[in-house]
Every structure is written in structure tokens, then in C-alpha cells.
Amino acid sequence: MAALRIQSDWSRALRDEGEAWLSCRCPGKPTLYGSVTRRGLSSEGIPDIAASEGFLVQEVTKKSILISCPHENVSTKFLAPYTTFSRIHQKSITCLDISSGGGLGVSTSTDGTMKIWQAANGEIRRLLEGHVYDVNCCRFFPSGLVVLSGGMDAQLKIWSAEDASCVVTFKGHKGGILDTAIVDRGRNVLSCSRDGTARLWDCGKSACLGVIADCGSPVNGIAVGTADDSLNLGAPENPPSEREIGTEGKILLLAREDKKLQGVGLQSRQPVFLFVGSDAFNCCTFLSSTYILAGTQDGNIYQLDVRNTNAPIQVIHRSGAPVLSLLPYQDGFIASQGDGTCFILQQDLDYVLDLTEADCDPVYKVASWEKEIYTCCRDGIVRRYQLSDL
């Protein structure tokens, strides 16, 4: 698909210099270049913007600009952040999540810290200390009061968001933990690791309930979801432990370094499908009980039907940069990539929504709460976008 790009700091550039560059890249064709120029302000304080030849400005607000390239039949709405938080961490922010009520954020950084902060203003509330080396991933439990984290120290930890105490530590992985998932309300959790395994854990007993898959290759990302009724998940070889809560009828997706996307019955531990992609898979998610998405190191986003994974429904490719994060959003999804792009595709929109200002710094993770979207980036900034601005 064709990809429209705009100068990362376009909103400031149009305010200060009065001009920002544009490009439209379509695979296999020469890139089209142009610019948008500010001619003044309307009586409502909205910039009056014009585009160079080959591009059209269709709509402008204080925080967004809708531009089309008729030659490639592509339209993109570029959205500037509502606010940015630059003081939460000192270095790259590798992961973040927002609590179910929208009040708190949690993030991890290459500065070695994991912090809980106010989602509204970025004010730091708690410092979560206890991992050795970098913390790779963090997420809130559905309650919004508890955090799950995984680190390069091969430890999985559960924390109280209220007093920052570490209430459980799980040990068993032989390599750094790369991603986690929570089953239902969180009596069981999942993790995947550089050691090639995905494991199921019992939070109440601080115990490993089993190795769900041993892939022989690092597992970069996982996702758990309810499987379509018609899908055969297989039967467990042994009766499941009574400590397993909510695993029946679930499928676990594994985004593997060896270019494979795997589906495994969570309770049965049996393989359901194996799809081979173009490069290492970095992340995966469920759009529904039938449709899944997975992103690769070479910039492909595969949409698959779990009932028949022989061929993808579609492959979305906007650039060759690694796909780092995928998140279901309304009737579509949000994707972020290693070249600073972060975009939303929705079925009911005839344009792509591009979340701007990360420049060329990788956007490692995206989280959402209602109409607010948060991104974290190598530049150490958390950006908060308000889709209600649209």
C-alpha cells in the first residue's frame, strides 16, 4: 500500500517556518515529493494550509491535517500529540501500558527503571525496583491495581501499583523474558522468552503450571485469545491442574524469531497452526476469535484467519522498517514501526490516521484507553494523542 509521510514536527514547522515536507511512497514506483505551506490563519485560529502539486489538503484543525495524493489514491490524516511527557525516564522507553480506568501508566526504560505515573500529566507515582538488568515488558492486570513485568534477568514479577511492593516473583525461564499475557482476570499469566519457551504461571501459588510451547527459537511476542468454536484445539495429554483457570477454549499465538507464527491450544498444549512469514515475527494480536495480526522485522503485517492459515487474508506493507507493536483498536488496529511511524487503520475510515512527531526514532509500544492513545519511543518521550480531537 502507498504510504504518505509528513515532516515529523509538521505542526511546529507550519507554525514557525510556514512549510513542511511531504512524500508519497508506493512499492515499485518512484517516491513523490512535495510540501505544505501555511498561508495564514482563519478567523477561528485554524491555519490556512496549501499543498504543492500532486497533493491536496482536505481538512485542517489545530492538531490534525488531512492530506491526499490523488495519483496514488491514498489519504492520510496526520495527528500531532495532545501532550508529551519527557521527564518520566532518562533514556529509551521500551514498553508502556495504561490501566483499565485510564488513570495510571506504567513504563520500562533502558535507564534501568520501571515507573508508574499519572496518565493525565506524566507525574511519577511509584518506582518499581527489583529486576536485575533491563525490564523488557510491563502491563497492568485488568483490575488496574497490579502490574506484571518481565526482564532480561529471566524473572517475571507481579507488583502492587498502590505501594510498589513486589508480591510475586516467578523463576524458570533460562533467558530474558520478551513478552507477557494475562489469562482472563489474571489468576494465570503467560510469558515468553529468548529461551524459546512460553510458560503458564499460577499467580496464587507462584508456580509454573507448564511449558505451553518449546520452539527452539526465541519467542518475541505472544497473545492469548478465545478461539473460534469451529477450531480444533486438540485434547490435553494429561488432565489440566485445577490451578489452571480460564485456559479452556483459548489459543496462544507465538511470534517467533525463526520467521514462524505459531498457534497452540492453551489448555491442550497441542499445535493448531504454523505459518511461515518473510522474516522474524516481532509481535502478534487478536482482532477477533477468527482474525489475527502479526508483524515482521521486514515491515510486513499479516492478517490471517485462524481457521485457514495457508495463505494470509492480506499483507500490509507501508515501509521496510520492523513492525514493533500491534494493538486492536475499534474496528481496526494500531501499528508502530522502527522508522518512527505509528498509524491506525480502521474499516470505517477512508484514510490512514498517522500519529506523528516521533521522527525516525522507533516507536516501541502503543497503549490505548478509550479515545486516548499513548506511544513510547527511543527518544525517551511518551506521547499522548486524543482521537476526540478529530
Side-chain angles (χ1 to χ4, degrees):
M1 66 185 290
L4 263 173
R5 296 289 300 270
I6 196 169
Q7 187 172 322
S8 64
D9 61 345
W10 62 270
S11 58
R12 184 183 61 78
L14 288 175
R15 188 173 64 241
D16 296 347
E17 290 89 37
E19 188 175 35
W21 59 259
L22 287 170
S23 68
C24 181
R25 186 171 63 212
C26 193
K29 296 182 184 179
T31 300
L32 303 173
Y33 294 97
S35 63
V36 283
T37 308
R38 173 172 159 163
R39 297 184 297 201
L41 277 179
S42 71
S43 55
E44 291 86 35
I46 303 297
D48 176 18
I49 309 289
S52 59
E53 187 179 351
F55 298 91
L56 290 174
V57 175
Q58 297 181 299
E59 180 187 308
V60 180
T61 71
K62 288 181 179 177
K63 288 286 185 185
S64 70
I65 182 169
L66 177 59
I67 298 171
S68 64
C69 178
H71 187 262
E72 296 297 345
N73 193 29
V74 60
S75 297
T76 300
K77 180 173 279 193
F78 299 99
L79 183 64
Y82 177 74
T83 46
T84 58
F85 307 137
S86 57
R87 297 184 177 180
I88 298 173
H89 293 285
Q90 304 301 311
K91 293 184 181 177
S92 297
I93 302 173
T94 49
C95 190
L96 91 170
D97 194 24
I98 302 298
S99 66
S100 52
L104 294 176
V106 63
S107 54
T108 62
S109 168
T110 56
D111 66 11
T113 65
M114 177 166 49
K115 296 177 181 179
I116 292 173
W117 35 273
Q118 289 285 135
N121 57 20
E123 184 182 317
I124 295 164
R125 295 288 301 273
R126 296 283 182 266
L127 181 63
L128 306 180
E129 296 179 295
H131 279 286
V132 186
Y133 313 124
D134 283 351
V135 188
N136 291 331
C137 46
C138 58
R139 69 171 69 239
F140 281 101
F141 278 71
S143 67
L145 303 173
V146 185
V147 169
L148 178 67
S149 67
M152 285 305 293
D153 57 6
Q155 295 184 41
L156 190 67
K157 289 179 177 285
I158 296 176
W159 311 79
S160 163
E162 295 175 303
D163 64 10
S165 61
C166 177
V167 290
V168 175
T169 297
F170 300 109
K171 295 180 181 179
H173 279 296
K174 304 284 193 294
I177 292 170
L178 301 177
D179 199 11
T180 63
I182 293 171
V183 183
D184 291 349
R185 295 187 58 78
R187 290 173 70 177
N188 291 172
V189 297
L190 291 147
S191 59
C192 66
S193 165
R194 286 186 192 276
D195 66 14
T197 67
R199 291 171 178 262
L200 180 70
W201 307 88
D202 173 10
C203 296
K205 296 271 190 187
S206 312
C208 181
L209 290 169
V211 174
I212 306 299
D214 191 346
C215 303
S217 170
V219 182
N220 295 321
I222 52 173
V224 66
T226 302
D228 185 81
D229 290 340
S230 63
L231 201 62
N232 180 11
L233 299 181
E237 291 177 4
N238 302 303
S241 159
E242 74 275 3
R243 302 293 303 180
E244 272 192 39
I245 311 292
T247 57
E248 190 177 0
K250 301 273 199 326
I251 185 169
L252 180 68
L253 304 181
L254 305 131
R256 294 167 38 165
E257 183 70 22
D258 60 1
K259 304 185 182 181
K260 294 179 178 129
L261 178 72
Q262 186 175 1
V264 177
L266 184 53
Q267 189 177 80
S268 70
R269 323 286 206 254
Q270 302 296 324
V272 177
F273 69 82
L274 190 66
F275 175 81
V276 181
S278 55
D279 204 344
F281 279 98
N282 291 328
C283 50
C284 53
T285 193
F286 284 84
L287 292 178
S288 67
S289 62
T290 311
Y291 300 121
I292 58 174
L293 287 177
T296 61
Q297 185 69 12
D298 60 357
N300 284 328
I301 299 173
Y302 291 89
Q303 184 178 353
L304 299 165
D305 184 327
V306 291
R307 298 166 299 184
N308 179 6
T309 58
N310 292 331
I313 298 167
Q314 64 172 334
V315 182
I316 297 159
H317 186 95
R318 287 185 38 128
S319 82
V323 180
L324 301 176
S325 175
L326 289 167
L327 181 73
Y329 188 75
Q330 294 181 358
D331 63 353
F333 66 90
I334 311 172
S336 72
Q337 293 187 256
D339 59 359
T341 56
C342 184
F343 62 91
I344 304 175
L345 288 181
Q346 282 184 233
Q347 290 173 3
D348 63 345
L349 293 180
D350 56 3
Y351 56 81
V352 177
L353 188 58
D354 214 311
L355 308 180
T356 62
E357 281 199 13
D359 199 6
C360 294
D361 281 310
V363 179
Y364 291 118
K365 198 76 175 179
V366 182
S368 69
W369 179 73
E370 295 187 348
K371 292 205 170 217
E372 297 196 343
I373 294 169
Y374 295 76
T375 64
C376 67
C377 191
R378 188 171 67 186
D379 62 11
I381 296 173
V382 171
R383 291 177 175 84
R384 174 184 168 211
Y385 301 85
Q386 286 200 328
L387 267 58
S388 53
D389 285 353
L390 305 177

